Amino acid sequence: MADVPARKLRRYQEMRDFDRTAEPAGGEPAGPAGHRFVVQRHRARRLHYDFRLELGGVLVSWAVPKGPTLDPKARRLAVHVEDHPIEYAGFEGVIPHGEYGGGDVIVWDRGEWRPVDADPAKAIEDGTLHFDLDGEKLAGRFVLVRTNRGERDQWFLLHKQDEHARAGWDAEDHPRSVKSGRTSDEVAAAPDALWHGDRPAGEAEEAVGFAAATDDELAALDALGAKGKWSVAGRELALTNLDKVLFPAPRRPLTKRDLIRYYATAGPVMLPYLAGRPLNTQRFPQGVTEPGFWQKEVPRHAPGWLTTWRNERAEPGESQRYVVADSVATLAWLANYGALELHAWTSRAADVDHPTWVLFDIDPGPETSFAEVVELARLHRTALEHFGLTGRPKVTGQRGIQVWVPIAPHCTYEQTRAWAETVSRTIGRVLPDLVSWAWTKDKRRGRARLDYTQNVLNKTLVAPYSVRPRPGAPVSVPLDWDELDDPELAPDRWTIRDVPARLAERGDPFAALLGLEQRLPGLDR
């Protein structure tokens, strides 16, 4: 019977080009029959929910435009589509545009289904299938009823009146993936995995993005003495002075080993904001109790595998070759080199004249309270909403808050700086008693400065999740806007000790900004 699933999948395979799509081709035996179900939110030509039941070695599938519901009074149109391979049940990623079904896919719900009918395959053939779902969002008795067996095999999906029924329940009110906790926008911007249909389905999954140090690699780092060779992400590093204290801290001083471990752990979340961009670093080889210095030029002793970018326009005496951080190994090398603080350019190395971020830096004065900084940050949100733009705040790890806005590389630095200045001065007029435009702090009379001047080539702000050179190793952490309402929020609330746990619990609030190419109102390239 192993050829039955393969025969059922012929239509699926005929409709796809597996040299281009990230979907699995299927065709290998699926093993013993199971009763998994999955619902995938799929933004292709139109948004719909793919409702799939494991049956006979394949995923029997319906496209539900408005999504399934727990409302017993609602009838949801469900179009019976081609069967999909079992391996597709866990797929979350992007199908290339131009392919059948091109768009992003998340695992919106999953669990177990139990047919009420003794022969569910015959029930489907006859046009009425009763079944129970036990999922993370969907539960209770459902029925699929065929209404039209024409060119479009149309059905209705209904929820019965039972203890799981909920009046007015709408799938769109529950947008996050049960697999990753991310929204469709976040998965589209940074998919974690692809499927290669030209490989056997069991070998089709390929990780996308940046690999973290493995548990074994971290254990090897912990086991090293004060120095030694350490392999991470396929690279061998010569680590030195691992027990050197870099950060005084109340409980236990933090060492270079701790810094390397942090960047090797948080690296996959940091790297989307660093990769492809020249990097400026602030080094503190003797620790944060001693003065640090800026380093832009790649040192001569840098390993040959390091990705770098050469600035062909550099004048004599200016930095010519910059590090481009594109792997956890690069971050670990930088940490070993004493580079505590990382600042990526706001433009990419491939097009340095056109930034992809607009930055607003709320720089508090000596008399500025953090509550006032938060109030100014909220005004930035209001301004962005007025323009129909999306941005996010980020605590600096010191005293302030920054607001980052992703843009398409469609205008020059001069244009983005002028636009940011207009927005900043408009905000400053709302709360004039809190804001000063004086350049130096001694002339601001203790007030905050809304600094738009970082929107210049080779001027930077600290990168998301970078460590700051302060006792305790505080970190510059991205926020959701609603976190500004948290009474416990502080600009240096998180350190390298607790950022990994925060990421595991909440994810990265800036992930929604990745790949978002917004155009600034009134500015065209």
Side-chain angles (χ1 to χ4, degrees):
M1 296 296 290
D3 62 333
V4 175
R7 187 169 63 249
K8 291 182 176 182
L9 292 174
R10 283 175 189 161
R11 184 179 172 218
Y12 166 85
Q13 293 164 334
E14 290 168 356
M15 299 173 75
R16 287 158 173 80
D17 178 357
F18 291 108
D19 290 331
R20 295 182 58 191
T21 184
E23 295 183 82
E28 294 205 349
H35 288 100
R36 286 175 290 179
F37 87 89
V38 63
V39 181
Q40 289 158 309
R41 188 177 190 270
H42 185 182
R43 295 191 302 182
R45 191 161 51 94
R46 296 184 181 88
L47 168 66
H48 64 279
Y49 289 73
D50 292 315
F51 184 87
R52 310 189 192 280
L53 304 175
E54 181 182 4
L55 182 65
V58 298
L59 297 173
V60 184
S61 302
W62 289 261
V64 185
K66 292 186 177 181
T69 180
L70 299 178
D71 187 345
K73 294 184 179 180
R75 297 191 301 175
R76 293 290 193 249
L77 174 66
V79 180
H80 195 190
V81 296
E82 70 278 5
D83 297 338
H84 276 54
I86 291 295
E87 294 83 4
Y88 197 77
F91 175 72
E92 184 167 283
V94 173
I95 302 170
H97 290 288
E99 286 291 334
Y100 179 83
D104 52 81
V105 178
I106 65 169
V107 179
W108 181 84
D109 196 19
R110 61 187 173 186
E112 181 182 0
W113 79 284
R114 294 179 294 277
V116 174
D117 307 278
D119 187 345
K122 185 175 186 302
I124 293 173
E125 178 63 26
D126 292 343
T128 303
L129 176 68
H130 293 83
F131 55 95
D132 294 321
L133 294 184
D134 183 8
E136 297 184 42
K137 297 177 182 177
L138 301 178
R141 178 66 54 87
F142 287 79
V143 60
L144 276 160
V145 181
R146 181 185 292 117
T147 63
N148 181 359
R149 201 168 187 172
E151 183 177 345
R152 283 167 57 87
D153 191 4
Q154 294 186 350
W155 299 57
F156 279 131
L157 174 64
L158 305 97
H159 192 284
K160 304 295 280 186
Q161 183 65 261
D162 61 18
E163 68 272 23
H164 300 287
R166 298 290 183 273
W169 199 94
D170 189 340
E172 286 295 284
D173 294 333
H174 309 270
R176 293 193 175 273
S177 163
V178 297
K179 179 177 181 179
S180 67
R182 298 195 293 167
T183 65
S184 294
D185 285 340
E186 291 168 348
V187 168
D192 285 337
L194 297 176
W195 283 86
H196 294 280
D198 57 347
R199 303 175 187 172
E203 303 171 9
E205 187 169 358
E206 177 185 4
V208 174
F210 306 97
T214 67
D215 290 342
D216 288 344
E217 288 169 341
L218 293 174
L221 173 64
D222 295 340
L224 282 177
K227 64 179 182 179
K229 300 284 188 178
W230 183 49
S231 294
V232 62
R235 305 293 185 186
E236 185 173 83
L237 306 181
L239 304 183
T240 60
N241 297 319
L242 287 171
D243 296 324
K244 184 175 187 60
V245 172
L246 298 182
F247 306 90
R251 287 181 288 165
R252 176 180 67 82
L254 295 162
T255 64
K256 184 193 284 190
R257 191 192 311 268
D258 295 315
L259 180 67
I260 293 171
R261 170 180 262 275
Y262 169 72
Y263 278 139
T265 302
V269 181
M270 294 181 65
L271 286 166
Y273 309 104
L274 306 176
R277 301 173 188 272
L279 189 68
N280 302 338
T281 68
Q282 195 171 14
R283 293 182 57 209
F284 292 81
Q286 303 306 317
V288 301
T289 58
E290 300 294 328
F293 56 91
W294 285 99
Q295 176 95 33
K296 299 181 182 181
E297 184 74 29
V298 178
R300 292 182 179 179
H301 62 76
W305 52 262
L306 205 68
T307 302
T308 63
W309 171 76
R310 181 172 296 279
N311 183 5
E312 301 294 345
R313 304 182 210 164
E315 300 288 339
E318 293 182 336
S319 299
Q320 297 189 18
R321 197 162 67 104
Y322 291 75
V323 172
V324 176
D326 58 3
S327 69
V328 164
T330 300
L331 294 179
W333 177 83
L334 286 165
N336 185 62
Y337 186 46
L340 271 61
E341 192 169 279
L342 308 180
H343 290 234
W345 288 23
T346 54
S347 56
R348 300 186 181 99
D351 184 10
V352 294
D353 293 318
H354 299 102
T356 63
W357 294 100
V358 174
L359 308 179
F360 297 93
D361 186 16
I362 305 170
D363 183 16
E367 304 300 321
T368 308
S369 69
F370 186 61
E372 291 169 336
V373 172
V374 169
E375 191 171 3
L376 290 166
R378 290 194 183 105
L379 287 177
H380 284 75
R381 180 185 191 181
T382 301
L384 294 178
E385 289 175 344
H386 171 75
F387 288 115
L389 295 172
T390 298
R392 290 287 190 279
K394 175 169 75 72
V395 290
T396 63
Q398 295 187 159
R399 294 191 61 222
I401 290 177
Q402 301 161 2
V403 177
W404 286 43
V405 183
I407 61 170
H410 72 111
C411 46
T412 65
Y413 275 101
E414 291 76 12
Q415 290 175 310
T416 55
R417 174 178 165 135
W419 186 86
E421 180 179 3
T422 299
V423 174
S424 295
R425 291 191 179 275
T426 301
I427 291 171
R429 286 194 291 271
V430 177
L431 294 172
D433 293 340
L434 299 184
V435 176
S436 169
W437 301 106
W439 183 259
T440 58
K441 288 193 175 183
D442 60 344
K443 295 182 179 179
R444 295 185 204 166
R445 292 180 293 173
R447 292 183 290 184
R449 174 179 170 80
L450 304 184
D451 190 358
Y452 53 84
T453 64
Q454 299 303 108
N455 295 287
V456 175
L457 182 68
N458 203 355
K459 291 192 74 174
T460 57
L461 292 178
V462 64
Y465 301 105
S466 173
V467 180
R468 304 308 304 271
R470 294 290 185 274
V475 174
S476 183
V477 174
L479 307 173
D480 285 312
W481 284 111
D482 60 5
E483 291 186 271
L484 295 180
D485 300 327
D486 184 351
E488 296 184 3
L489 182 66
D492 57 354
R493 176 175 176 178
W494 294 281
T495 73
I496 65 173
R497 296 186 196 272
D498 44 35
V499 165
R502 171 181 163 83
L503 288 171
E505 179 183 351
R506 289 193 65 109
D508 174 24
F510 269 25
L513 306 182
L514 293 171
L516 189 58
E517 296 195 346
Q518 304 176 108
R519 302 186 75 84
L520 297 179
L523 296 184
D524 290 303
R525 185 168 171 175

